[in-house]
Amino acid sequence: MAFLRKLTRNYWYLAWLLAFLFLFFLMLRITLKYFPFNSDVAFLQIKQTEVNNVSFYLPTFYVHVYSSILVLVAGFTQFNNSLLKSYRNLHRVLGYLYVIVVLFFSAPSGLVIGLFANGGLSSKVAFVILAILWFVFTLNATLSAKGRDFKRHREFMLRSFALAFSAVTLRLWKVILVYLFQPAPMDVYQIIAWLGWVPNLLFVEWLIKNNTNKKIQTL
Amino acid sequence: MKKLLISIVAVAAFYACTSKPVEKNTENVVEDTIAVSGLSRDSLLGSWVGNFTASESKDNIESSNKITLIIKNIQKDVVTGRSIVAGNDRPFYGKLIEKDGEFHLTLEEPGDDKYDGKFDIIFKGDLFEGSWESFNKNINVTKRNFKLTKKAFVYDATAMLTDKDDLTDWHNEKLKKDTATVDGKVEVYENQYYRSASDAVYKINSSMQELKESDLKNLRKLDLQILRNTIFARHGYSFKKETYRQFFDYVDWYVPISNNVEKELTSLEKKNIKLLEKFEKYAEDNYDTFGR
C-alpha cells in the first residue's frame, strides 16, 4: 500500500480529510432529518407556503436533499494525485457518480428551489447563478476529461467542487455571523446566499492561477 | 285579540330586557348597600389591578408582578373573590370592617398552595391600598405591598404593545467574555448581553390579521414569542413566566384575569398561535446552529 504511506506523509491532505470528514458528518446529519420523508420537517417547517401552493416544490426539494449528499463524497477522493494514480478506476467511477448526480439532479433541482429561496430577490439571484455556474463548470470539466484535456478538467472540477462545497461554507458563515452579530434570520440568509460560494470560487481561481502545478496536485 | 297580542309582545320585551343584565351580574351580589362617608359597598365589587411589589424577600431583589383582585361577592361582612398573579389563580375569603369612615378588608387564601397568604386592605375611595403576607415563611418573597385601581377586563383585539414599551428581555441574559487592552494589558471582561425584540411586535397584530410565513420569516425567537403571547395578554392571561410578565405587566390595557384562556381564543388566533409556535421551534432549533 504505497499510496497509503504517501497519503499519511501528505499533511495537507490529511488535515483536509479530517476536516472534511467532520463537515461531511454534519451535512449527513442534516440530510438524515429528511428520513423518513416528511413534508413538514426541518427547513420545510418554514416553507409550507411553497409546499402547499407549488406542486413541484416538495419533490424537487427532496431530489436536491437526497442527491446532494452524494456529491460531497467526491471531496474525499477526487482531488488527491496519489489516489488518482494508484486507483484510476475509483477516480473514474466516483467521477461519473459526481457528474451524473450534479448535472441531472443536484444542479437542476438547486436552480428550481433557488427560485423560491428565502430572503427575497437578492438571495434568489444568488442561488440561481450558483446553480447555473455549477452546472456549466461540471459539464465543462466532464467534456474536458472526455477530450483528454486533464489540466482543464482539473481546473473546472476545482471550480465545480468549490461551488458544491458552498453547501458547507454557507452554513459555516451562518454560524459565524449569528455568533458575532445576531442579525435577523433573513438578513443572515441574504448575506450567506452570496458569501457561501463567491469566496470559494475566488479561492480556487487564486489556486488555479498561482499554483497550477504544485498545490493542486498535493491537495 | 289585539290587546292580548300587545301584552304577549310586552311580556316578551320585558324578558328580553331583564335577561341580559341578570346573566352578567349573578356573581356580583350586594345584600345591603350601606353608604359610609360617601363610599358604597357596591363600589368594592369588581376587579382591582396594580403592581404587587415585594417588600420582604430572601434574595433582596426588587420585584413586582401585576395582580388582579376580583371582589365577587359581599354578604353582610363576608367577602369572597379571587386573586390572580403570576399565573396563580386563587380564591380568597375574608371580612369587611368599617372603621373611621374607611373600609378595611382582611382576605385569606385557602393555605393549601405554597404561595397562599393574607391580604390587608384599606379601601380609599378609588384605591385598594395594602399589604400581603405569605403563610409559608420559607418562600422567597414573604411580604408585598400594593396599590390597586379598579379596572374591568375587556377583550380588545386591537390592543398592542407600542414603541413606548420596553422590548428588552432582562431575564435571559447571556454571558460572554470580551477582551480589551487597557494600558498595554490585556484584560478579560465578562459582559452580560440582553436580547431585544424588534419593532415588528408593535406592527403585526396577531389577533386581527391572518399571519403568513412571509410575515414571520425575518423575526427572531423573541419577536415570535411576544407576538404569540400578546394574544394571550389580550385575553387577560396571567403569565407564569417572568420572561413574558416583564413585557405586559406595565402595559395599561393588560388586566390578568385567568390562568387559562384557551376557550376564549378566536379561530384566527388559534391558527396564528400554531404558526407562531412552529416558527419559534424553528428559530430555537436552527437560528444559531450549523444548518439553515
Side-chain angles (χ1 to χ4, degrees):
Chain A
M1 300 290 243
F3 89 93
L4 262 182
R5 274 204 304 277
K6 232 178 174 179
L7 265 187
T8 45
R9 246 181 280 142
N10 187 342
Y11 296 120
W12 279 113
Y13 185 64
L14 202 64
W16 161 257
L17 266 190
L18 289 175
F20 190 73
L21 187 68
F22 174 70
L23 295 166
F24 182 82
F25 171 73
L26 291 181
M27 291 305 295
L28 190 65
R29 241 181 25 171
I30 294 173
T31 309
L32 289 177
K33 287 181 185 171
Y34 297 95
F35 286 98
F37 175 85
N38 184 339
S39 66
D40 194 4
V41 72
F43 183 65
L44 293 172
Q45 288 175 105
I46 62 164
K47 275 289 180 193
Q48 291 300 299
T49 309
E50 287 79 4
V51 168
N52 293 322
N53 300 324
V54 184
S55 58
F56 55 84
Y57 183 84
L58 192 61
T60 315
F61 179 85
Y62 265 94
V63 166
H64 192 71
V65 170
Y66 289 163
S67 65
S68 299
I69 191 73
L70 299 172
V71 162
L72 290 177
V73 174
F76 290 112
T77 57
Q78 302 302 83
F79 297 98
N80 184 273
N81 257 19
S82 0
L83 253 178
L84 175 60
K85 277 171 193 158
S86 349
Y87 290 88
R88 232 184 166 69
N89 275 334
L90 180 75
H91 182 89
R92 221 176 253 153
V93 169
L94 288 178
Y96 270 115
L97 174 78
Y98 178 86
V99 165
I100 288 167
V101 172
V102 171
L103 294 182
F104 292 99
F105 300 99
S106 293
S109 61
L111 177 88
V112 173
I113 59 174
L115 292 169
F116 299 95
N118 286 336
L121 186 66
S122 136
S123 25
K124 283 175 187 163
V125 170
F127 286 120
V128 167
I129 294 177
L130 168 63
I132 292 170
L133 287 180
W134 196 24
F135 185 91
V136 170
F137 291 162
T138 311
L139 185 66
N140 254 320
T142 315
L143 296 177
S144 311
K146 286 267 172 209
R148 307 200 70 75
D149 183 351
F150 293 113
K151 183 175 171 286
R152 201 176 134 88
H153 168 69
R154 198 171 51 208
E155 287 174 7
F156 271 103
M157 271 309 182
L158 272 172
R159 292 185 180 111
S160 168
F161 194 75
L163 297 187
F165 196 57
S166 74
V168 173
T169 43
L170 170 146
R171 290 170 173 87
L172 282 177
W173 280 118
K174 189 199 118 183
V175 174
I176 294 166
L177 291 176
V178 168
Y179 179 79
L180 290 178
F181 307 111
Q182 287 88 44
M186 288 306 123
D187 298 353
V188 192
Y189 210 82
Q190 287 179 339
I191 299 169
I192 58 173
W194 293 97
L195 204 56
W197 62 272
V198 175
N200 291 11
L201 198 56
L202 292 176
F203 175 72
V204 289
E205 289 303 336
W206 172 82
L207 211 62
I208 290 164
K209 212 171 174 195
N210 291 292
N211 302 278
T212 21
N213 301 315
K214 276 230 158 158
K215 281 213 176 140
I216 295 172
Q217 283 174 10
T218 53
L219 189 78
Chain B
M1 187 62 203
K2 207 177 180 185
K3 258 190 185 173
L4 185 69
L5 202 70
I6 288 167
S7 64
I8 289 171
V9 170
V11 167
F14 175 75
Y15 273 109
C17 286
T18 50
S19 63
K20 266 190 193 164
V22 166
E23 247 174 39
K24 275 205 167 171
N25 289 327
T26 40
E27 286 192 336
N28 301 349
V29 183
V30 177
E31 280 231 317
D32 41 351
T33 344
I34 316 159
V36 180
S37 56
L39 302 178
S40 92
R41 295 171 62 162
D42 267 344
S43 56
L44 288 169
L45 295 172
S47 50
W48 297 82
V49 187
N51 292 331
F52 198 40
T53 309
S55 57
E56 192 181 278
S57 65
K58 306 253 182 315
D59 65 5
N60 286 318
I61 291 172
E62 275 183 50
S63 70
S64 179
N65 298 321
K66 201 169 207 174
I67 190 170
T68 306
L69 292 181
I70 300 175
I71 309 289
K72 261 190 202 165
N73 196 334
I74 302 172
Q75 297 213 6
K76 298 235 169 77
D77 61 346
V78 178
V79 183
T80 52
R82 282 155 59 211
S83 70
I84 298 119
V85 62
N88 206 4
D89 184 343
R90 301 295 294 159
F92 58 67
Y93 176 92
K95 284 223 148 103
L96 173 69
I97 303 158
E98 302 166 23
K99 209 165 66 186
D100 309 327
E102 286 175 334
F103 283 121
H104 291 252
L105 294 102
T106 47
L107 308 170
E108 291 192 9
E109 290 160 334
D112 51 2
D113 185 274
K114 192 179 164 189
Y115 299 104
D116 279 354
K118 183 182 160 193
F119 297 90
D120 277 301
I121 304 166
I122 301 173
F123 176 52
K124 293 178 172 172
D126 53 357
L127 212 63
F128 259 35
E129 208 176 325
S131 61
W132 172 89
E133 210 179 325
S134 68
F135 297 137
N136 181 347
K137 298 295 170 202
N138 298 322
I139 59 174
N140 180 31
V141 181
T142 44
K143 275 185 187 166
R144 290 177 183 273
N145 294 326
F146 53 86
K147 273 183 196 165
L148 312 180
T149 51
K150 196 169 187 177
K151 192 166 205 172
F153 165 77
V154 186
Y155 169 68
D156 178 9
T158 65
M160 296 279 276
L161 291 181
T162 68
D163 54 4
K164 287 180 193 73
D165 297 313
D166 184 0
L167 297 181
T168 308
D169 178 4
W170 297 106
H171 292 286
N172 297 284
E173 71 270 18
K174 269 191 181 157
L175 292 174
K176 251 191 205 173
K177 280 191 178 150
D178 294 317
T179 51
T181 316
V182 182
D183 300 332
K185 265 191 189 171
V186 178
E187 293 188 15
V188 181
Y189 296 93
E190 198 165 64
N191 285 328
Q192 289 171 323
Y193 285 86
Y194 300 92
R195 58 182 187 157
S196 186
S198 77
D199 57 3
V201 299
Y202 43 80
K203 284 181 181 154
I204 297 175
N205 184 317
S206 40
S207 291
M208 303 271 283
Q209 71 192 82
E210 186 174 342
L211 298 177
K212 298 187 297 293
E213 284 187 327
S214 53
D215 299 323
L216 306 182
K217 269 190 185 156
N218 205 24
L219 303 185
R220 292 183 191 79
K221 192 175 150 205
L222 183 61
D223 295 337
L224 300 164
Q225 288 176 319
I226 292 178
L227 282 178
R228 180 168 58 83
N229 281 292
T230 310
I231 297 175
F232 288 99
R234 288 183 189 112
H235 285 284
Y237 179 74
S238 178
F239 295 101
K240 289 177 188 70
K241 287 187 182 153
E242 210 168 23
T243 308
Y244 303 128
R245 287 204 300 270
Q246 69 183 329
F247 295 111
F248 298 106
D249 271 6
Y250 303 97
V251 174
D252 277 343
W253 54 258
Y254 174 57
V255 178
I257 46 136
S258 168
N259 57 10
N260 187 358
V261 297
E262 289 298 326
K263 283 186 205 133
E264 317 298 325
L265 301 173
T266 67
S267 58
L268 177 77
E269 287 172 334
K270 281 183 192 159
K271 217 171 162 186
N272 285 342
I273 287 169
K274 240 180 152 179
L275 187 68
L276 284 159
E277 279 175 340
K278 195 177 207 173
F279 270 71
E280 280 171 56
K281 186 182 175 294
Y282 185 79
E284 166 120 32
D285 296 346
N286 297 281
Y287 176 59
D288 57 359
T289 60
F290 185 81
R292 293 206 184 201

